[in-house]
Amino acid sequence: MSTVNKAPEAPTGSPQSAGGPGRLRSALAVTSPGLRVRFQTSLQQLMAFGSLIVLVILFGILNPRFLQPTNLSDILLSTVVIGLLALGATFVIVTGGIDLSVGTGMSLCSVMTGVVLTNLGMPLILGVLGGILAGALMGAVNGFFVSYLKIPPFIATLAMMMVAQGLALVISGTKPIYFNDTPGFSSIALGKPIAGLVIPNAVFIFFAAAVIAGIVLSRTLIGRYTFSIGSNEEATALSGINVRKWKMLIYTLAGSFTGLAGVMIAARLNSAQPGQGMGYELQAIAAVVIGGTSLVGGKGSIIGTVIGALIMSVMTNGLRVISVPQEWQNVAIGVVILIAVYLDMLRRKENTT
């Protein structure tokens, strides 16, 4: 949704009223920004995809083992968690917000899944739904604080990050919850849909979630309001839209992806690790920004986020394959985050000139 302010009429006899260059410039001022934003978004996605291909080729040259099918499957599997977190973060960041709670929130959702399946002995489907609903509830709380209490998103989600970390430890008793007595749980992530296929179920679940997220963001009312709030929240409210309600729904939707990520990482490890999760939020945000979503809101895409998540996974795996020490891997990822944010700043400057 967008609003266009009507320019004041030009005096009679002026170049604008005569249909001269002034009117042409006025028309271009109205029509060109939308086209320019779409062009820049597509160009950013193309550049991100090109960077992904370059990284794959580079690591393949440095170590041929990188291109082996099993390693490529590992890359896709490691993309699942960061990718799911990034899908939810895309909605929040497009509104102009931020969510720092997705990492520890993912751990809390894993623990809740473990409680439902192991402690309560409930069926598998209820355990999965329990983890997803826990994430949605956490997102709803974030949305309430941000939209109704007007707490800045950075502060609200930072507080939720600490709360989720503490609750995960308290509920689990500071101990991992194992799913050895829950048959079929690990196959949610590690099972193969077709015998002999290298790619596990988790990868297909991630791409299915990405398709759903893409449709929601680009084809539904909540998606249009997500862009509208991020572009101009005040104008959106003046147009009669209940911004507080929709923003809370957006955070709730984002939280459901965090819950799904918690289920996936628990199934992959066959355990809920309450101390895990710190740092995942930065990688998810980096994936979103690398994919072309603006940190000030109003612009972004799910396709770009998926590419950004793949770039993060390729970098992590590639640096490990070529035997780069862990501490230098963190340095490299930090540099990528800085570059992504700086490029976003440059894009914003170009849009304002």
Side-chain angles (χ1 to χ4, degrees):
M1 178 178 178
S2 61
T3 59
V4 178
N5 295 325
K6 184 178 179 180
E9 295 182 1
T12 305
S14 67
Q16 288 89 337
S17 64
R23 175 163 294 183
L24 178 60
R25 286 194 298 269
S26 178
L28 288 175
V30 173
T31 59
S32 61
L35 294 174
R36 183 172 64 179
V37 169
R38 286 195 294 270
F39 173 76
Q40 289 178 343
T41 301
S42 300
L43 181 61
Q44 177 66 20
Q45 292 175 3
L46 184 61
M47 292 175 61
F49 184 72
S51 300
L52 175 63
I53 298 300
V54 169
L55 285 173
V56 170
I57 294 174
L58 177 62
F59 286 126
I61 293 174
L62 293 175
N63 190 335
R65 187 166 60 88
F66 176 83
L67 295 176
Q68 291 182 355
T70 53
N71 189 62
L72 294 178
S73 177
D74 289 341
I75 292 174
L76 291 175
L77 184 60
S78 64
T79 305
V80 170
V81 173
I82 295 299
L84 288 172
L85 295 177
L87 292 180
T90 302
F91 286 87
V92 173
I93 294 176
V94 168
T95 66
I98 198 75
D99 191 351
L100 300 177
S101 65
V102 295
T104 58
M106 175 188 69
S107 298
L108 177 59
C109 294
S110 296
V111 169
M112 294 306 299
T113 302
V115 168
V116 174
L117 290 178
T118 303
N119 296 4
L120 301 180
M122 303 296 285
L124 184 61
I125 184 63
L126 292 182
V128 173
L129 290 176
I132 296 174
L133 290 176
L137 177 60
M138 186 182 67
V141 173
N142 282 333
F144 177 79
F145 287 153
V146 171
S147 58
Y148 285 91
L149 300 186
K150 302 299 181 182
I151 299 175
F154 182 90
I155 301 300
T157 59
L158 178 63
M160 179 58 72
M161 177 179 73
M162 303 304 296
V163 169
Q165 183 183 35
L167 285 177
L169 292 170
V170 169
I171 294 173
S172 65
T174 70
K175 297 179 181 179
I177 300 176
Y178 294 97
F179 298 94
N180 297 328
D181 297 329
T182 309
F185 180 69
S186 63
S187 64
I188 295 176
L190 301 178
K192 307 294 194 304
I194 301 176
L197 189 66
V198 178
I199 302 175
N201 289 333
V203 176
F204 293 100
I205 292 173
F206 165 57
F207 283 112
V211 170
I212 294 172
I215 293 173
V216 171
L217 187 61
S218 61
R219 304 285 183 180
T220 66
L221 193 62
I222 190 172
R224 291 196 293 272
Y225 287 165
T226 299
F227 282 106
S228 180
I229 292 170
S231 298
N232 193 326
E233 183 172 339
E234 183 179 356
T236 303
L238 290 174
S239 66
I241 296 170
N242 190 337
V243 170
R244 292 187 299 180
K245 180 190 76 173
W246 284 102
K247 189 181 287 188
M248 184 172 174
L249 288 174
I250 291 166
Y251 274 84
T252 303
L253 175 63
S256 66
F257 286 101
T258 300
L260 182 58
V263 174
M264 286 298 105
I265 195 170
R268 178 182 173 184
L269 300 176
N270 203 33
S271 65
Q273 303 288 335
Q276 194 176 35
M278 289 293 293
Y280 277 82
E281 65 280 345
L282 299 180
Q283 295 188 50
I285 294 170
V288 175
V289 177
I290 290 172
T293 298
S294 176
L295 284 172
V296 297
K299 188 180 76 169
S301 71
I302 296 299
I303 294 177
T305 295
V306 172
I307 296 173
L310 287 169
I311 288 176
M312 296 296 295
S313 297
V314 166
M315 278 198 59
T316 302
N317 182 276
L319 293 172
R320 184 167 59 247
V321 166
I322 63 176
S323 301
V324 174
Q326 178 65 47
E327 55 270 21
W328 284 106
Q329 293 180 32
N330 295 334
V331 170
I333 293 175
V335 170
V336 169
I337 294 174
L338 285 174
I339 293 174
V341 173
Y342 180 69
L343 291 176
D344 180 58
M345 292 172 58
L346 291 180
R347 290 196 300 268
R348 295 204 305 267
K349 288 181 179 179
E350 291 177 359
N351 290 336
T352 56
T353 57

